[in-house]
Amino acid sequence: MNKKAIGFLDSGVGGLTVVKQAMKQLPNETFYYIGDNARCPYGPRPAEEVVQFTWELTQFLLKKDIKLLVIACNTATAVALDEIRKRIDIPVVGVILPGSRAALKYSSNHRIGVIGTKGTIESGVYEQTLRDKDASLKTYSISCPKFVPLVESNQFNTSIAKKVVFESLQPLTKLNIDTLILGCTHYPLLKPLIQNVMGDDVYLVDSGAETVSEVSTILDYHNIAADSSGEKIANRFFTTGSTKLFSEIATQWLGTNHMLVEKVNLLENNH
Amino acid sequence: MNKKAIGFLDSGVGGLTVVKQAMKQLPNETFYYIGDNARCPYGPRPAEEVVQFTWELTQFLLKKDIKLLVIACNTATAVALDEIRKRIDIPVVGVILPGSRAALKYSSNHRIGVIGTKGTIESGVYEQTLRDKDASLKTYSISCPKFVPLVESNQFNTSIAKKVVFESLQPLTKLNIDTLILGCTHYPLLKPLIQNVMGDDVYLVDSGAETVSEVSTILDYHNIAADSSGEKIANRFFTTGSTKLFSEIATQWLGTNHMLVEKVNLLENNH
């Protein structure tokens, strides 16, 4: 039993889709979240830069005393997970393996689509992970570079979003896939629009929900899950960008009335 | 990377529902299965006896050189998992935590039903596990002692089965549960009948499918998953009971044409 917080990091607000699932599935746990909104999106950035930014966010969370780290960002998981695991001695969970596992569980026809940022799709990490697990799978990937800016600017419920999602996903609609991995934690905020374009027969894998199942497994495996006894430490949310915009999106997405969001200067905190 | 087999044990054929999911989600892996059909069912037996039988099956599988053990039986998981974990040094996965986690993921109204054998339900292990994870959950459990004999005698598709399932589940149909844990690995063979009685709005948690996700997580976490390179070792199926009856149920359930089932005498093997 361990009451310490679980740390979540993301390029911006996308990882909140993972936190939302964590609040549902792990109500005894405390969550510390940092979004690097000032430097979002990570998708188009070179890998070395994403590794460096991820490391800075990790150091920030470690100083807050966390028991497990979730890299709640597909781009960062794709390029930085192995490196971060080497550098720190608490369990580190990424979002790519859980999403891939879920796709294998849900797909019947072995035809799986993947959408993600430019960085994630160009890394080929989902195709590689899926093929390693089952060489008979057919995968179809496209990058959707316009999706993250839509979410980060709080426009994910607009008619512009509807149009962008429709146009972006057209190449995937005629490939007879039965499962689509939302390979970016920002995308569940666009889920109704994506489901509408893909049709009800395509199962959408929310990597956030699946990642939380993995977090729960690892907590139990190491016997470090919190129980419901005693006082619970409050959740904390940090951003390198605008606390106002972060708070607007977070309260809407998490369904809370009020949220204190703390502004972070990584340079000050890490030195 | 590790090509050794994953071992599965069960009181009879029920654990084959877990193997079926494992074949789908982990096609690179090899599976060794032992069903203790001669001494099935475990549900009504005293706990000490179930621990002893589980230990005998574990020893049998260890001699075949396995890398991970799945206790694919809820009754055995309820009473023997902790003890087996203490005695052996490979990872051991049970079926109760994965099913409980999945129920938390799928339930919206926090009202969860559990069905299982007499031993599982009387142990209270599901209520305890669910309440530990979320004290706000309401759980409703009933034992269904007639289900396992129906499956073991290959009568799970009959009108008798339909009648037994209907009568057994009546107490659960008016409790407004939105999720029902099939807390016995035999029960997925009765899934269509159970779904019919409970209605389409109740999500049925197949603990087998969920357990395989956990197995996959643990394999990746320890870096002992098999890849698709080279020759794969063949699956093997063992029973302490009738190889003919086992084979009939197994080929039907797993959708294979032919299956070699090996007869085991545990006394000879373990001494």
Side-chain angles (χ1 to χ4, degrees), chain A residues 15 32 37 79 86 93 95-96 104 108 115 127-128 135 149 159 166-167 185 188 198 201-202 223 250 253 256 259 264:
Chain A
Y32 292 167
N37 301 69
V79 300
K86 275 184 217 152
V93 175
V95 286
I96 289 171
L104 253 86
S108 298
I115 54 176
E127 285 88 339
Q128 187 61 47
S159 58
F166 179 81
E167 287 171 359
T185 52
M198 296 308 298
D201 291 343
V202 175
N223 206 18
W253 180 245
T256 51
M259 176 180 274
V264 168

Side-chain angles (χ1 to χ4, degrees), chain A residues 24-25 27-28 91 97 101 104-107 132-135 209-210 213-214 216-218 220-222 228, chain B residues 24-25 27-28 91 97 101 104-107 132-135 209-210 213-214 216-218 220-222 228:
Chain A
K24 178 170 191 280
Q25 295 179 47
N28 297 332
L97 267 170
R101 277 194 209 101
L104 253 86
K105 180 159 71 173
Y106 296 118
S107 175
D132 282 351
K133 296 207 168 292
D134 185 349
E210 304 299 333
S213 299
E214 174 151 337
S216 181
T217 300
I218 302 294
D220 287 329
Y221 196 71
H222 287 286
S228 56
Chain B
K24 178 170 192 281
Q25 295 179 45
N28 298 332
L97 267 170
R101 276 192 209 103
L104 254 85
K105 180 158 71 172
Y106 295 120
S107 175
D132 283 351
K133 295 206 168 293
D134 185 350
E210 304 299 332
S213 299
E214 174 151 337
S216 181
T217 299
I218 302 294
D220 287 328
Y221 196 72
H222 287 286
S228 55

Side-chain angles (χ1 to χ4, degrees), chain B residues 112-118 120-128 130-131 138-144 168-169 171-172 175 177 180-181:
Chain B
I112 295 172
V114 183
I115 54 177
T117 66
K118 190 167 170 287
T120 301
I121 297 303
E122 286 182 358
S123 76
V125 64
Y126 270 107
E127 285 88 340
Q128 187 62 47
L130 288 164
R131 254 200 311 270
K138 296 237 180 307
T139 59
Y140 305 91
S141 306
I142 56 168
S143 64
C144 301
S168 303
L169 298 182
L172 280 178
L175 296 169
I177 59 170
L180 177 63
I181 299 176

Side-chain angles (χ1 to χ4, degrees), chain A residues 113-115 140 142 169-177 180 198:
Chain A
V114 184
I115 54 176
Y140 305 91
I142 57 166
L169 298 182
Q170 279 313 301
L172 281 178
T173 56
K174 293 163 193 77
L175 296 169
N176 191 29
I177 59 170
L180 177 62
M198 296 308 298

